[in-house]
Amino acid sequence: MKKKLGIILILLLAVISSKVSAKVDQYGNLQLKNDYISVIVNQNEFNKGRFAVDITGGDPIRSGDNGKPLLYGHPHPWTSYTTFRIDNKNYIFGGKTDKRAGRNGEYGELVQEPSLDNNRIITTYRFNKIVVSQILNFVKSSTTGLPDTLQITYRVTNEDEVDHKVGTRIMIDTMLGENDGAPFRIINQAVTSDSLFLKDDLPTFWQAFDELRDPKVTAQGTIKGPGVTTPDEVYFADWGSLADGPWDFDFKSGEEFLRKGEFELDSAMALFWQESTIKAKETKTYVTNYGLGGITIVPGLLSLGVTSPAQVVMDNPNKTVEIVAYIQNTAEITVKDVKVELVLPDNLEPIDNYKVKELGNLAAGETAQVMWEVRPKRLFQQQVEYTVKATAKNTDDNQVSRGLKFVGPPKLSLKLQAPKRMEAEDDSLVEDSFYIKGNISNYGASTAYGIEAYLALPPGLTLSKGDKEEKFIGFLEPNEKIELLWKVKPLALVDGKLPYSIELSSSNALSEIAKNSILIPSLKPKAKIEILPKNGGYQVGDYLTAQIRLKNIADFYRLKTNISYNKEVLEAIYVSRGNLFINNGKLLSWNLPEVSQDEGMIKGISASLEDEQDIQDGLVAKLHFKIKVLGSFDLSFEDFIAYDKNNNQLKLEKVNNLLNIRRN
């Protein structure tokens, strides 16, 4: 059905229609999908957090890929998994397994179930003092320019006070539709046996497909470039070996992709980031992309396909671009003396100056590939087109053209919004916290990746419980905006003008810093007697409760006081301890006072803490009375003294008058 539509119309609709939706499927998996692919995350007790990838609509100009798998794992994903090597121990991310893959590793403690957050699925586990979050979301493929790619992110935080060594291995059990053994096509090789590629030799991406002239599924892994973290090593091997070995595994260069212990072709790959130091309180991020690849194909006896980035960001004068051509002999005879030529526009040039690649003879059904690295002769921003031509002595020539769009770099903007001061009333802050808002936008011409925002607070300001200084945004498309909020509260008895800042960083855009300050008013230290209000006011015969409270007192350790009251109006019933002298359920030093109704006095209220501390608002005691007749209550402090731990008397104001309350 899709092939009956014009390609331009389809691509236009594809760009417009990329809505993301989420649901829990019939097997209990959490699924996130758009018009191109879906990611399925296991939520069961076993293998929790592991994921698979399916194609939904896939390539808009190809109908055969709908509903095909890209990562094996139905109905409950389990075959792909990630290992974290922490101080020479191998830990598997996610829930414990009842399967083969990852059985030989250790497991951590669940912190956050697979959860939806801003079109992402986030799962978090703790491995002692190392906390790891897995973040899965959709991004644009580097070769299709469509959001048909899963971005796999791991954020590793060292919550310890000491450094730790951490390495990461992401194992991907690739599957192209029904084909579980398709060759990996990387640089100028079709990899069909155990192979290793080191960091310095890695291209931007690898691809895999079954047949060039009519590929059912084209998969692509992006391993270098904007938005991803280049691994130290990439292994292509059989799935069984990678399943059994969570870090080191049975690797035999050149051995066919036969599943270890069995006799079926079963290819997989592993990306390694070798162990490195993560400092105390530091976070490191590892990112890779896997999804669909874009190839422009012209069928023929010499079927010819080319691929290259859909968009090239001109962020430095030494920018290079990889162009890969695939050539398949679909004839029934061997074609001889095959040559492939790259024809470039005037503003591009090959790095090695060899525009023609000689492939020799191609047997019937054989596929070959070549790669060029090209660079712009100057910085520019425009759409250009190149052509690849294939010739042979005994068959028809073929050629294919593909566009390259050169765009400017991303540019981030950060605007900060927050109150200039906190308001106070009756020597208390009206609100105990305030919000800092960061408005972040990308006004550049290309996507900004790896965006993080960090709130730096001075001594005296702290985040509300559950909030974090660092917020990971991920990526922002051109003209896309996002709003971040931090809830901040001042510590007890802090005042003055306090500065703070937000730092915005990105893996491919310049950093931004926004600074601001807030004025915290000075609050007077007081001891107060307050009567709890009653709807409709008090009547004769009612019971009332008065509270002794301390407000805004620094270095408080202990106190002693008596309380006088109008014995003609009030009858004292009893006195109870305030929560200031209860610490996590433990009762602190407290003297049970004496009630003298004849004198109208509560005598000997005294108590102390385990250590001195700053008191913003603390309840010392509750005084319980019965109203005998109408009149003034006349509650007041007598001989009130508060001390620090060195027995220095603390200066404060004693407030009684507010509590001379008559019945309404």
Side-chain angles (χ1 to χ4, degrees):
M1 187 70 174
K2 285 188 285 188
K3 290 184 177 178
K4 295 180 181 179
L5 299 174
I7 292 175
I8 295 177
L9 175 60
I10 295 173
L11 290 175
L12 178 60
L13 290 173
V15 171
I16 295 172
S17 176
S18 57
K19 183 179 179 181
V20 177
S21 61
K23 69 174 185 179
V24 176
D25 68 18
Q26 59 182 318
Y27 302 106
N29 303 308
L30 183 57
Q31 184 184 49
L32 192 68
K33 70 175 183 178
N34 62 15
D35 295 331
Y36 310 99
I37 63 171
S38 68
V39 59
I40 304 100
V41 179
N42 195 324
Q43 296 194 107
N44 294 324
E45 178 184 357
F46 290 110
N47 307 303
K48 187 189 298 287
R50 299 193 191 186
F51 58 91
V53 180
D54 282 352
I55 299 171
T56 52
D59 188 337
I61 61 173
R62 184 166 291 110
S63 60
D65 59 357
N66 295 27
K68 303 291 186 182
L70 272 177
L71 282 185
Y72 187 81
H74 287 280
H76 303 293
W78 64 275
T79 60
S80 299
Y81 69 97
T82 299
T83 306
F84 293 93
R85 187 169 176 84
I86 303 171
D87 299 329
N88 296 317
K89 279 189 175 182
N90 300 325
Y91 294 90
I92 310 303
F93 184 87
K96 293 183 178 180
T97 188
D98 56 349
K99 302 287 187 179
R100 177 178 179 179
R103 184 181 298 161
N104 297 320
E106 299 189 45
Y107 287 81
E109 172 190 354
L110 177 66
V111 175
Q112 179 182 353
E113 296 269 1
S115 307
L116 286 169
D117 178 9
N118 193 26
N119 291 334
R120 304 177 297 180
I121 298 179
I122 302 177
T123 312
T124 304
Y125 274 81
R126 174 185 294 277
F127 308 97
N128 298 318
K129 293 291 186 177
I130 303 296
V131 176
V132 181
S133 290
Q134 172 185 274
I135 305 170
L136 305 173
N137 59 273
F138 302 132
V139 295
K140 290 180 180 179
S141 165
S142 63
T143 57
T144 70
L146 300 173
D148 54 14
T149 293
L150 177 69
Q151 183 160 88
I152 306 162
T153 301
Y154 290 98
R155 287 179 55 77
V156 183
T157 300
N158 177 8
E159 293 190 344
D160 208 346
E161 302 297 330
V162 298
D163 299 351
H164 289 279
K165 290 275 192 179
V166 179
T168 303
R169 189 192 88 167
I170 301 175
M171 191 272 268
I172 297 175
D173 183 16
T174 56
M175 187 174 186
L176 279 66
E178 306 303 322
N179 192 340
D180 206 10
F184 298 96
R185 300 186 179 276
I186 182 168
I187 311 176
N188 57 1
Q189 302 177 46
V191 176
T192 57
S193 60
D194 282 13
S195 301
L196 165 63
F197 293 84
L198 300 178
K199 185 173 187 175
D200 291 342
D201 301 323
L202 290 174
T204 302
F205 59 85
W206 59 267
Q207 293 183 330
F209 51 83
D210 44 7
E211 183 181 52
L212 180 63
R213 61 181 173 182
D214 186 23
K216 299 299 183 293
V217 179
T218 301
Q220 177 177 303
T222 304
I223 48 182
K224 191 167 73 172
V228 299
T229 314
T230 305
D232 296 313
E233 301 165 358
V234 174
Y235 287 85
F236 297 97
D238 76 278
W239 175 82
S241 296
L242 287 168
D244 294 343
W247 189 262
D248 297 321
F249 66 100
D250 187 8
F251 176 80
K252 297 176 181 176
S253 182
E255 187 172 80
E256 194 176 15
F257 291 151
L258 286 176
R259 189 186 306 141
K260 184 178 180 181
E262 302 177 39
F263 301 97
E264 292 185 28
L265 283 175
D266 191 352
S267 58
M269 66 170 300
L271 300 93
F272 279 81
W273 291 266
Q274 293 296 343
E275 288 176 280
S276 62
T277 298
I278 299 184
K279 295 181 178 179
K281 309 303 180 184
E282 184 183 24
T283 296
K284 281 191 177 181
T285 303
Y286 305 87
V287 185
T288 195
N289 292 350
Y290 178 72
L292 296 177
I295 306 175
T296 305
I297 299 171
V298 175
L301 293 176
L302 273 182
S303 285
L304 185 59
V306 292
T307 187
S308 56
Q311 181 175 279
V312 181
V313 179
M314 297 302 293
D315 53 3
N316 70 76
N318 299 315
K319 195 73 176 185
T320 62
V321 183
E322 295 169 359
I323 296 174
V324 179
Y326 304 109
I327 308 95
Q328 182 183 16
N329 176 15
T330 65
E332 296 180 355
I333 61 170
T334 297
V335 293
K336 298 181 179 180
D337 194 19
V338 178
K339 296 179 181 178
V340 185
E341 180 184 3
L342 175 64
V343 182
L344 293 171
D346 290 341
N347 42 15
L348 293 180
E349 62 182 1
I351 288 179
D352 59 9
N353 292 320
Y354 290 100
K355 295 183 179 181
V356 178
K357 306 278 188 178
E358 298 185 359
L359 301 180
N361 300 337
L362 283 182
E366 185 179 357
T367 299
Q369 66 193 72
V370 295
M371 188 182 86
W372 293 271
E373 272 194 284
V374 304
R375 63 189 169 204
K377 295 178 182 178
R378 64 185 186 280
L379 289 174
F380 65 93
Q381 297 180 33
Q382 67 181 79
Q383 179 90 20
V384 300
E385 186 176 272
Y386 64 87
T387 300
V388 174
K389 298 179 179 180
T391 62
K393 283 187 175 180
N394 58 336
T395 192
D396 296 338
D397 297 346
N398 200 358
Q399 71 176 43
V400 61
S401 297
R402 183 177 170 95
L404 275 175
K405 185 177 182 181
F406 289 83
V407 299
K411 296 179 181 179
L412 295 177
S413 168
L414 170 62
K415 294 182 179 179
L416 193 154
Q417 287 181 274
K420 293 182 178 180
R421 60 174 291 134
M422 297 189 77
E423 301 297 333
E425 185 177 295
D426 192 23
D427 288 304
S428 295
L429 294 175
V430 175
E431 302 286 345
D432 66 354
S433 60
F434 66 97
Y435 284 98
I436 297 174
K437 181 189 298 184
N439 293 304
I440 300 162
S441 63
N442 177 10
Y443 66 97
S446 56
T447 303
Y449 293 100
I451 305 171
E452 298 180 26
Y454 181 83
L455 175 64
L457 295 175
L461 293 181
T462 186
L463 283 173
S464 293
K465 187 176 181 181
D467 208 344
K468 294 182 178 179
E469 291 90 350
E470 188 176 60
K471 295 185 186 291
F472 180 70
I473 301 168
F475 67 94
L476 285 178
E477 300 282 358
N479 300 316
E480 190 176 2
K481 301 177 181 180
I482 191 170
E483 181 182 287
L484 299 180
L485 282 177
W486 288 267
K487 190 177 183 181
V488 179
K489 58 192 307 181
L491 297 177
L493 310 186
V494 168
D495 58 22
K497 193 173 184 179
L498 302 181
Y500 59 88
S501 64
I502 297 176
E503 182 175 357
L504 188 65
S505 62
S506 164
S507 62
N508 67 329
L510 295 178
S511 298
E512 292 286 323
I513 296 180
K515 298 180 179 180
N516 205 346
S517 62
I518 188 164
L519 180 63
I520 311 296
S522 179
L523 304 175
K524 293 181 180 179
K526 290 183 177 181
K528 301 181 70 174
I529 304 174
E530 299 176 343
I531 290 181
L532 298 181
K534 180 185 176 184
N535 290 336
Y538 286 102
Q539 306 288 336
V540 173
D542 286 345
Y543 291 89
L544 69 82
T545 298
Q547 296 182 342
I548 302 175
R549 306 196 75 90
L550 300 183
K551 286 180 173 282
N552 315 316
I553 300 178
D555 303 326
F556 173 78
Y557 178 60
R558 67 185 181 90
L559 64 77
K560 61 181 181 178
T561 188
N562 301 322
I563 301 293
S564 62
Y565 59 94
N566 189 340
K567 64 181 180 179
E568 304 300 328
V569 174
L570 296 177
E571 177 186 353
I573 307 300
Y574 68 98
V575 179
S576 58
R577 174 198 304 261
N579 57 19
L580 179 59
F581 300 101
I582 303 174
N583 184 16
N584 293 323
K586 178 183 177 183
L587 299 180
L588 306 182
S589 175
W590 165 265
N591 179 62
L592 185 64
E594 174 191 353
V595 175
S596 176
Q597 183 65 28
D598 291 340
E599 298 178 76
M601 188 75 69
I602 298 173
K603 299 178 179 179
I605 298 175
S606 65
S608 63
L609 302 176
E610 291 181 305
D611 199 357
E612 68 181 22
Q613 65 183 66
D614 295 338
I615 306 299
Q616 189 161 14
D617 188 358
L619 177 60
V620 174
K622 291 183 179 181
L623 315 176
H624 304 275
F625 299 93
K626 183 177 181 180
I627 301 175
K628 297 163 59 177
V629 296
L630 299 180
S632 176
F633 298 152
D634 295 338
L635 286 158
S636 62
F637 291 106
E638 304 291 341
D639 304 319
F640 180 97
I641 306 176
Y643 301 91
D644 65 15
K645 197 170 183 180
N646 294 320
N647 280 327
N648 297 311
Q649 188 170 334
L650 302 175
K651 294 182 179 180
L652 52 86
E653 179 184 352
K654 295 177 284 294
V655 181
N656 308 312
N657 296 337
L658 293 178
L659 299 171
N660 295 336
I661 301 175
R662 290 183 177 276
R663 180 172 66 87
N664 292 336

